Amino acid sequence: MGTRELGLEILILAPNWLGDAIMALPAIRDVRRHFSGQPMTVAARPSIAPVFRAVPDIDRILVLDRGNEPSQLRGDIGILFPNSFRSAWILRKAGIKERWGYRSDFRRPLLTRSVSKPRRRVSFPEYYANLVRQLGVETGPLTAQMKAPAAAAASAMALLRERGWRSGQPLVGIAPGAAFGHAKRWSAKRYAQVASQLVDAGVACVIVGRSEDRDAARDIKGIDLIGQTDLMMLMGVLSQCNVVAANDSGALHLAAALGVPVVGIWGPTHERYSTPVTPYEDSRTVAAVSEEVFCRPCFLADCPIDHRCMKRITTERVHEAVRRFLQETHA
């Protein structure tokens, strides 16, 4: 490639959504290994940037100030994980000499090296791996290594105890929200039924999510932390859980990357494509719950018909998947 000389500074522009950023971690790790010994910065939106503190071997994390990005960015090689025209324009405006990314959104003239998207739909982790592979980076397994910072884990444990959790009591995280539309949400009533069964069996439940997820969390029995955790505290709380049940959301992908067993509920999206990355090369810590219907996956934010992909998923299936993981972690 002629780009591994000492002194080069590598800049990675991270995806804009939490789940996408986590699914990009295997490719980011491969870039780190390829440019071993050379400084690497990951630039990310404020809502995403803290997650990279839990990722090893990143030299610098840059929190982007929207509208002022060109003045913040520096480096010799910029690798674009977002597909937008704007992201390429920002790197060019910043004076990054080498700008690499997918040939998309009419931005090819702004890139010094552009590669084609996969011809068929692939999972998001493979999509990002394909990008760096075509740029000459040898790729490894689609796994991620994340660990909640000690301070975040300690703060989360203290908060959970303050809210009634007892050390040694099984803890299930429930994340009933989803940022991209209501179609990705399983019924709040059914989450409440699962939580009720767990609590009646002596299991503690903690409900996590953004303030906007309040309606999705109504009537769910447990420790209510909706809107009360920043990303670092969320990471700490999830790291204390034995199992996390969630829709296809940032919380699901964060828990999976931390090595926590997850029960994922997929509807308009598909587990084949938004595949959680974990520290393991097999799917031992991921239980995918979905219902095959003719219109799935549609990838729509709101269902134009009867939301059958989610409505046909029963509480029994989700409860059974959670219970199975609890048995394994408390065997």
Side-chain angles (χ1 to χ4, degrees), residues 40-70:
M40 187 175 89
T41 296
V42 173
R45 293 169 54 176
S47 59
I48 302 300
V51 80
F52 293 102
R53 297 180 196 167
V55 179
D57 301 325
I58 293 175
D59 300 303
R60 179 171 174 252
I61 301 165
L62 176 62
V63 182
L64 291 174
D65 177 13
R66 186 170 178 84
N68 196 38
E69 297 99 325

Side-chain angles (χ1 to χ4, degrees), residues 270-272 290-297 309 312 317:
H270 201 291
E271 60 272 24
R272 183 186 308 130
S290 62
E291 184 72 19
E292 291 304 325
V293 293
F294 82 93
C295 47
R296 178 177 186 263
C309 62
R312 294 184 185 182
R317 290 176 61 192

Side-chain angles (χ1 to χ4, degrees), residues 131-148:
L131 168 64
V132 300
R133 189 184 303 121
Q134 288 198 71
L135 292 171
V137 173
E138 182 179 351
T139 55
L142 298 177
T143 58
Q145 293 290 337
M146 289 184 65
K147 184 176 182 181

Side-chain angles (χ1 to χ4, degrees), residues 25-328:
L25 290 178
I28 293 173
R29 176 205 59 219
D30 295 334
V31 172
R32 171 71 286 177
R33 184 181 61 247
H34 183 83
F35 291 103
S36 177
Q38 298 175 62
M40 187 175 89
T41 296
V42 173
R45 293 169 54 176
S47 59
I48 302 300
V51 80
F52 293 102
R53 297 180 196 167
V55 179
D57 301 325
I58 293 175
D59 300 303
R60 179 171 174 252
I61 301 165
L62 176 62
V63 182
L64 291 174
D65 177 13
R66 186 170 178 84
N68 196 38
E69 297 99 325
S71 66
Q72 295 180 277
L73 299 173
R74 68 174 187 270
D76 300 291
I77 299 173
I79 302 178
L80 290 153
F81 280 75
N83 291 321
S84 67
F85 180 91
R86 185 176 185 275
S87 61
W89 178 86
I90 288 169
L91 287 197
R92 182 171 177 176
K93 187 78 171 176
I96 309 297
K97 293 181 179 179
E98 290 289 325
R99 303 176 298 276
W100 301 350
Y102 272 128
R103 197 177 299 135
S104 62
D105 203 26
F106 305 104
R107 67 185 189 174
R108 184 173 184 176
L110 298 176
L111 300 176
T112 57
R113 291 192 62 185
S114 63
V115 299
S116 300
K117 289 185 176 184
R119 293 184 178 180
R120 58 179 180 86
R121 185 181 287 276
V122 297
S123 70
F124 278 103
E126 174 55 30
Y127 180 81
Y128 294 125
N130 179 74
L131 168 64
V132 300
R133 189 184 303 121
Q134 288 198 71
L135 292 171
V137 173
E138 182 179 351
T139 55
L142 298 177
T143 58
Q145 293 290 337
M146 289 184 65
K147 184 176 182 181
S155 296
M157 187 175 291
L159 176 62
L160 289 166
R161 286 174 175 167
E162 179 184 307
R163 299 294 181 90
W165 176 59
R166 306 185 310 274
S167 296
Q169 182 183 16
L171 182 65
V172 173
I174 297 178
F180 183 70
H182 288 271
K184 290 174 72 172
R185 292 182 177 183
W186 194 47
S187 162
K189 180 180 178 180
R190 293 185 182 181
Y191 269 120
Q193 290 171 346
V194 171
S196 182
Q197 289 178 290
L198 293 169
V199 170
D200 289 347
V203 176
C205 292
V206 56
I207 305 97
V208 297
R210 308 169 304 150
S211 297
E212 296 89 335
D213 298 327
R214 173 63 56 194
D215 64 324
R218 64 181 182 275
D219 300 326
I220 299 178
K221 190 184 297 186
I223 301 169
D224 184 358
L225 295 183
I226 292 289
Q228 300 175 52
T229 58
D230 60 14
L231 187 52
M232 295 306 291
M233 180 62 87
L234 175 61
M235 199 179 304
V237 169
L238 294 178
S239 72
Q240 303 304 311
C241 294
N242 300 96
V243 189
V244 170
N247 304 318
D248 180 14
S249 63
L252 172 78
H253 291 281
L254 184 58
L258 288 166
V260 179
V262 296
V263 176
I265 303 172
W266 276 270
T269 56
H270 201 291
E271 60 272 24
R272 183 186 308 130
Y273 304 124
S274 54
T275 308
V277 294
T278 78
Y280 315 105
E281 292 190 47
D282 55 30
S283 58
R284 77 182 81 165
T285 57
V286 178
V289 182
S290 62
E291 184 72 19
E292 291 304 325
V293 293
F294 82 93
C295 47
R296 178 177 186 263
C298 67
F299 301 102
L300 296 176
D302 293 291
C303 181
I305 50 174
D306 58 3
H307 208 199
R308 64 187 62 191
C309 62
M310 283 300 208
K311 288 182 177 178
R312 294 184 185 182
I313 295 174
T314 64
T315 56
E316 289 77 16
R317 290 176 61 192
V318 175
H319 179 261
E320 173 59 25
V322 171
R323 189 185 63 81
R324 189 165 58 249
F325 275 136
L326 283 174
Q327 288 178 336
E328 292 174 2

